[in-house]
Amino acid sequence: MSKIRTAFFCQNCGYESAKWNGKCPSCGQWNTFVEERVQKEIPSRHDWKTNDTSNSRIQKIINLSDITTTEEKRLLTPDNELNRVLGGGIVPGSLVLVGGEPGIGKSTLFLQSALQLKQIKTLYISGEESEQQIKMRADRIQNSNEQFYLLTETSTQTIFQEIKKLQPQLVIVDSIQTLHTPLIESAPGSVSQIRETAAELQRFAKESNIPVFLIGHITKDGSIAGPKVLEHMVDTVLQFEGDQHYAYRILRTIKNRFGSTAELGIYEMTGTGLRQVTNPSEILISQRDDLLSGVAISATMEGLRPLLVEVQALVTQSVYGTPQRTATGFDLRRLQLLLAVLEKRGGFHFGVKDVFLNIAGGLRVEDPAIDLAVLCALLSSYEDNALPNKICFAGEVGLSGEIRAVNRIEQRIVEAEKLGFEKIFISRYNKKGIDFSKFNIEVIAVGRVEEVYQQLF
């Protein structure tokens, strides 16, 4: 009988050590090492393979010039938002990791997507819910599929035996933290188990050319649970995020070997599942009749998609000695920078004011083109003077008070024009090489913060 070997693993990055360490030498985190048992003798790893090896890939050295490339045929789903974030559809043999907070809708999204694939034989593996629970969710979604099969199992050995019998065309695993392999003796969810089960599924996907989706948990700080090596092993990493108090969800691409990482999909959570939002600008701008101070509309870009979002600001006299600075959906340090620009370049005394900023709709915006709208919302609340209803902004504000150019300005202008806006403020440095006469919206080019203030107030 072989001696059982133990090792210490960092729960944050997966670093392996022969002894316990207070601080991980790889990621620098403290008190993350946990002792796990590791089996010394490893049996055959390829128990998922069929007896027919004619389709298996033969590994050999090959010259790069001898490789013929063809356009990869992707599997298109009825969900256009999912197709977008994957780079144009599901790539055969790809391994996709999807993370998100508990209850955000990960299982609902992929159960719904699998039920819509009528012509694809799909195997949904659940280690967290029973067949009855998944059936109840499927009934709520109000969709059926004769090619949809369900397996509630956590052992990879049993899973691969069932895959061998069924021969599916798509595999969905919910979730990777619940799986365990007999090759490792530690508990499910441990670093070594997650790493080994993901490696088995990776070999299966690459050698069988069957796409596999892995649904994963996230930690308290918002990162995907398990070792960081898990994100390096997969081809695509998707983040499903959103505030549970809002109905809207965002599917964002973190890593994609087959497409752009600048894409995102937007959904609305309803009683019958997730609904695709084809025009998110309309839902992110509140429909109001009265003009209110402190509200400005910004033409931003989320990935390659133009969005018009509403920026809300409230500037009040500070009651306490230290003024408050609060930002929701916007970087607080960026807000302090813009306040310093207004204080220095414009002469506005924000140092004695409480400032509150909110991006409507629960979105978090990192596009620097929102700076100009934030600045105008702050000025509107400071002066208690409402901005015109049909006006929007797109520009980055520099430290010297200049309005800097932003990318994809034509797409932003087209989106504003489509939603009925009459004026858009942009940087004058964006005017080079663009014919603005083809737009029906009035384009106002400004170069300094003082120019914006003079035109608006």
Side-chain angles (χ1 to χ4, degrees), residues 251-264:
L251 185 62
R252 195 184 301 273
T253 311
I254 307 298
K255 168 191 174 181
N256 194 357
R257 289 175 178 161
F258 311 112
S260 172
T261 58
E263 293 288 1
L264 84 163

Side-chain angles (χ1 to χ4, degrees), residues 1-5 38-41:
M1 182 176 178
S2 61
K3 183 180 179 181
I4 295 176
R5 183 173 68 90
V38 181
Q39 188 170 335
K40 191 172 182 179
E41 295 182 3

Side-chain angles (χ1 to χ4, degrees), residues 183-200:
L183 306 178
I184 302 294
E185 293 189 357
S186 57
S190 61
V191 169
S192 53
Q193 282 285 4
I194 292 175
R195 184 167 49 189
E196 185 61 35
T197 53
E200 290 184 8

Side-chain angles (χ1 to χ4, degrees), residues 14-27:
Y15 181 82
E16 181 179 354
S17 174
K19 62 179 182 179
W20 186 86
N21 292 308
K23 182 179 180 181
C24 176
S26 176
C27 65

Side-chain angles (χ1 to χ4, degrees), residues 89-341:
I90 303 172
V91 176
S94 61
L95 189 64
V96 182
L97 176 64
V98 185
E101 294 182 357
I104 206 71
K106 304 182 298 296
S107 301
T108 301
L109 173 64
F110 285 94
L111 178 62
Q112 176 178 303
S113 300
L115 291 173
Q116 291 173 347
L117 291 168
K118 305 292 185 182
Q119 306 301 323
I120 302 298
K121 186 184 290 187
T122 305
L123 176 61
Y124 188 96
I125 302 167
S126 177
E128 299 180 339
E129 297 176 295
S130 64
E131 294 95 337
Q132 289 75 20
Q133 288 176 299
I134 298 173
K135 174 63 175 174
M136 290 170 60
R137 182 183 287 120
D139 292 340
R140 179 168 55 85
I141 295 173
Q142 298 176 359
N143 209 335
S144 61
N145 186 357
E146 296 297 327
Q147 295 287 340
F148 180 84
Y149 296 89
L150 182 62
L151 174 64
T152 54
E153 180 57 55
T154 57
S155 172
T156 56
Q157 190 173 12
T158 307
I159 287 171
F160 287 133
Q161 290 174 358
E162 295 300 320
I163 288 176
K164 179 180 175 181
K165 298 175 188 176
L166 183 63
Q167 296 292 316
Q169 297 168 279
L170 175 66
V171 176
I172 300 173
V173 179
D174 184 12
S175 66
I176 184 64
Q177 278 81 13
T178 61
L179 298 191
H180 66 90
T181 173
L183 306 178
I184 302 294
E185 293 189 357
S186 57
S190 61
V191 169
S192 53
Q193 282 285 4
I194 292 175
R195 184 167 49 189
E196 185 61 35
T197 53
E200 290 184 8
L201 290 166
Q202 181 194 40
R203 288 190 292 270
F204 162 72
K206 299 305 177 186
E207 298 185 23
S208 65
N209 212 33
I210 296 174
V212 178
F213 282 87
L214 306 178
I215 298 176
H217 300 163
I218 65 169
T219 57
K220 291 180 180 178
D221 61 354
S223 60
I224 296 176
K228 200 68 178 176
V229 70
L230 178 62
E231 297 182 44
H232 294 296
M233 291 168 62
V234 301
D235 299 309
T236 305
V237 179
L238 305 179
Q239 187 83 9
F240 200 46
E241 57 192 43
D243 193 330
Q244 293 189 2
H245 301 291
Y246 291 91
Y248 304 109
R249 306 284 188 265
I250 294 177
L251 185 62
R252 195 184 301 273
T253 311
I254 307 298
K255 168 191 174 181
N256 194 357
R257 289 175 178 161
F258 311 112
S260 172
T261 58
E263 293 288 1
L264 84 163
I266 300 180
Y267 297 89
E268 180 185 7
M269 178 65 80
T270 65
T272 57
L274 290 158
R275 183 184 68 85
Q276 302 175 48
V277 177
T278 55
N279 191 0
S281 297
E282 292 182 350
I283 63 173
L284 296 173
I285 300 175
S286 62
Q287 306 298 324
R288 60 187 189 277
D289 297 327
D290 299 332
L291 292 178
L292 304 174
S293 64
V295 176
I297 308 298
S298 174
T300 70
M301 296 290 296
E302 279 289 341
L304 302 178
R305 168 185 281 188
L307 294 178
L308 264 68
V309 298
E310 182 177 302
V311 181
Q312 301 171 344
L314 178 62
V315 179
T316 62
Q317 190 67 33
S318 179
V319 179
Y320 305 102
T322 304
Q324 299 182 65
R325 302 285 186 264
T326 304
T328 304
F330 188 74
D331 187 7
L332 181 59
R333 290 172 296 182
R334 189 72 182 173
L335 172 62
Q336 293 171 339
L337 182 149
L338 294 175
L339 291 174
V341 170

